[in-house]
Amino acid sequence: MKIQLSDHFTLRKLLIFTLPSIVMMIFTSIYGVVDGFFVSNYVGKAPFAAVNFIMPFLMILGAVGFMFGTGGSALISKTMGEGDHGKAQEQFSLFVYVALACGVVIAVLGILLLRPVAAALGADGELLEDCVVYGRIILLALPAYILQYEFQSFFVAAGKPQLGLAVTVIAGVTNMVLDALLVAVFPLGLAGAAAATAVSQCVGGLIPLVYFLRPNTSLLRLTGTRMDVGALLRACANGSSELMSNISTSLVSMLYNAQLMKYAGQDGVAAYGVLMYVNMIFLAAFIGYSVGTAPVISYHYGAGNHGELKSLLKKGLAVIGTCSVAMLLAAEFFARPLAMLFVGYDEALLDMTLQGFRVFAFSFLFAGIAIYGSAFFTALNNGLISALISFLRTLVFQVAAVLILPLLLGIGGIWVSIVAAECMATVVTVVFLVTQRKRYRY
């Protein structure tokens, strides 16, 4: 079935169009989890804790890819909806070139700052050395990692979500095979796991770059461009919600790690790492659906099709609501086997992980609405509201909850705080959707 952004989208057509993005994000999360599985089971729980300890800092450095991808694709899709395809090509090329340049600069700074940052966060001794070994290898591939996440959004805007999925699968399989080879077969330990991830990120970022540099059948191609500061600022402002979401999530993860070190030591950090791996996979479905629908929303907003906007929002909320309930039930049912997969070798750590999992699972009831709402306003090119939802959800509510609730409930308060923050973010999102409906006529 050939689907174009200008089509009327039934629920079936919308699910078919967004399915590659959903699978792509889930698969990206799964192969990101593979490092944790191999490190935990073949290297040990101390290196596993190190991976989870330094990962938030690495994610912050790569977040610029989400900003250019989501903010840029919304602007490009809106421009195509207005009928100016030549301008859309120039914008696309500009965003890719600038993101690549930013990736190189950020990678160099990250390598230089990695050790002092890890030490400032509380790592020392073996934990610090493991953080440095893993982080420096990963940062070598940061420019490609930024491109990988940027192109995930641009493939959808280009009308080729299936190609985005194919690239993600190739990159994911590369990571899985290399993890098994470099960690399980050849005992290269933490460095082997990092190398596997770095190579897979290069695959995921460079294949799309080559594709868009050559003549292709998509709506977009990399060409010569000109500096358009206005377009860059609009894309950055519009994508600031996704940038803020990733940075905030990483900062909050650092805070959670600090709290868990205080209340439960390295076992607490390892348990939180397991929950975050599962969280990545489950929330990837919400993110994938939101990324997949955003160019469609932007196109019809640019074309002035308000009836289609209303239909897309209703269908989106129905899909998110159904998936939220399904995810809660799945998380509760699979809590033990998922925890066993990572920490089944340590009974005390397993028990701690399961206790957290049973409470943490209720966050899936609420997270989807806020994620979709933020992406919906990004697609409408309202970066302010989108960023505000993300800022409150991923930073303000999370920080307040994780600082206050553990004082009342101990380590249990850390797990409850995630649920409380997602619940408050849902309320805020609903308020914005209701109050802005007349402005955007959805």
Side-chain angles (χ1 to χ4, degrees), residues 56-293:
F57 175 66
L58 303 178
M59 293 297 293
I60 287 176
L61 298 183
V64 67
F66 284 98
M67 178 182 69
F68 280 113
T70 55
S73 66
L75 183 58
I76 292 165
S77 299
K78 180 175 179 289
T79 302
M80 288 192 293
E82 294 167 347
D84 196 341
H85 287 268
K87 184 177 180 181
Q89 298 277 22
E90 289 186 353
Q91 291 172 342
F92 167 66
S93 301
L94 177 64
F95 299 150
V96 171
Y97 300 150
V98 171
L100 181 58
C102 289
V104 173
V105 174
I106 294 171
V108 172
L109 292 175
I111 291 172
L112 294 174
L113 295 174
L114 183 61
R115 181 178 291 274
V117 168
L121 292 173
D124 58 14
E126 182 184 357
L127 181 64
L128 176 60
E129 296 306 317
D130 284 343
C131 288
V132 172
V133 168
Y134 186 82
R136 283 183 175 167
I137 295 173
I138 293 291
L139 286 172
L140 293 174
L142 186 70
Y145 175 70
I146 288 174
L147 287 180
Q148 179 181 6
Y149 276 108
E150 183 180 39
F151 281 127
Q152 284 181 347
S153 295
F154 286 159
F155 267 123
V156 180
K160 295 289 184 178
Q162 295 85 357
L163 282 178
L165 172 60
V167 171
T168 301
V169 170
I170 292 170
V173 171
T174 299
N175 190 37
M176 293 175 186
V177 171
L178 289 178
D179 260 324
L181 189 63
L182 300 180
V183 180
V185 178
F186 299 105
L188 298 181
L190 202 56
T197 298
V199 172
S200 71
Q201 289 172 351
C202 289
V203 171
L206 297 182
I207 288 179
L209 185 64
V210 173
Y211 173 81
F212 284 113
L213 279 170
R214 298 170 57 84
N216 61 73
T217 58
S218 77
L219 299 175
L220 299 172
R221 184 187 173 190
L222 287 169
T223 62
T225 188
R226 59 184 177 83
M227 177 55 68
D228 187 341
V229 177
L232 274 175
L233 291 176
R234 288 194 298 275
C236 291
N238 197 35
S240 61
S241 58
E242 281 67 29
L243 176 68
M244 176 59 67
S245 177
N246 281 274
I247 291 177
S248 299
T249 299
S250 297
L251 290 174
V252 168
S253 293
M254 295 176 187
L255 179 58
Y256 272 80
N257 283 333
Q259 288 285 75
L260 284 163
M261 284 290 286
K262 175 182 176 181
Y263 285 92
Q266 286 193 19
D267 277 8
V269 175
Y272 179 66
V274 175
L275 300 190
M276 287 303 99
Y277 283 140
V278 177
N279 191 55
M280 284 169 56
I281 296 172
F282 277 50
L283 295 193
F286 294 136
I287 296 170
Y289 181 81
S290 301
V291 168
T293 57

Side-chain angles (χ1 to χ4, degrees), residues 286 320-321 324-325 327-328 361-369 426:
F286 294 136
I320 293 297
S324 297
V325 175
M327 286 181 184
L328 169 63
F362 283 90
S363 67
F364 298 128
L365 274 181
F366 308 104
I369 296 297
T426 297

Side-chain angles (χ1 to χ4, degrees), residues 256 272 275-276 278-279 327-329 331-333 335-336 350-367 401 405 409-423:
Y256 272 80
Y272 179 66
L275 300 190
M276 287 303 99
V278 177
N279 191 55
M327 286 181 184
L328 169 63
L329 297 176
E332 292 290 351
F333 183 79
R336 175 168 285 276
L350 176 63
D351 288 342
M352 180 185 296
T353 303
L354 283 173
Q355 289 174 13
F357 212 133
R358 300 295 186 190
V359 177
F360 168 80
F362 283 90
S363 67
F364 298 128
L365 274 181
F366 308 104
L405 293 179
L409 304 173
I411 189 173
I414 296 178
W415 315 130
V416 172
S417 64
I418 301 171
V419 182
E422 295 288 12
C423 183

Side-chain angles (χ1 to χ4, degrees), residues 382-404:
N382 191 327
L384 178 61
I385 290 180
S386 179
L388 188 56
I389 292 173
S390 291
F391 179 71
L392 291 173
R393 171 182 171 260
T394 59
L395 187 64
V396 176
F397 294 151
Q398 293 272 10
V399 169
V402 78
L403 288 177
I404 295 172

